[in-house]
Amino acid sequence: MSAHCQLTGAKPGFGNTISHSHRRTSRRFDPNIQSKRYWLPSEGRHIRLTLSAKAVKTIDSIGIEAAVARIRARGARV
């Protein structure tokens, strides 16, 4: 599963881990990605989305129909 949110577009950030001796090594800051299944009443089927934890809360707030409209507006296939 790639670390990419279908609704918000959140993806990994990159930076450095800095040790006590101040040596720097590369690291990744991954978003909290979850796979979630929703019922889409307008199409009469379930859809599985790859979402960040923030996007799950956004869907709870705006509803699945509005969220799917936003995803499709970004050009993604659902």
Side-chain angles (χ1 to χ4, degrees):
M1 175 191 314
S2 72
H4 183 269
C5 176
Q6 290 181 295
L7 181 61
T8 63
K11 53 190 174 191
F14 295 88
N16 291 309
T17 298
I18 303 180
S19 69
H20 181 69
S21 65
H22 229 62
R23 285 187 65 160
R24 289 171 167 86
T25 53
S26 252
R27 65 160 292 180
R28 247 168 84 133
F29 294 92
D30 285 328
N32 185 5
I33 297 292
Q34 308 295 325
S35 181
K36 194 111 165 73
R37 189 169 168 249
Y38 288 98
W39 173 252
L40 196 57
S42 64
E43 297 180 16
R45 67 184 181 106
H46 284 95
I47 57 170
R48 188 169 298 278
L49 298 174
T50 306
L51 303 168
S52 63
K54 181 181 177 182
V56 172
K57 294 173 192 172
T58 301
I59 290 177
D60 290 343
S61 159
I62 67 172
I64 187 64
E65 297 290 343
V68 168
R70 282 189 193 179
I71 292 169
R72 288 182 173 149
R74 294 179 72 223
R77 193 173 144 269
V78 176

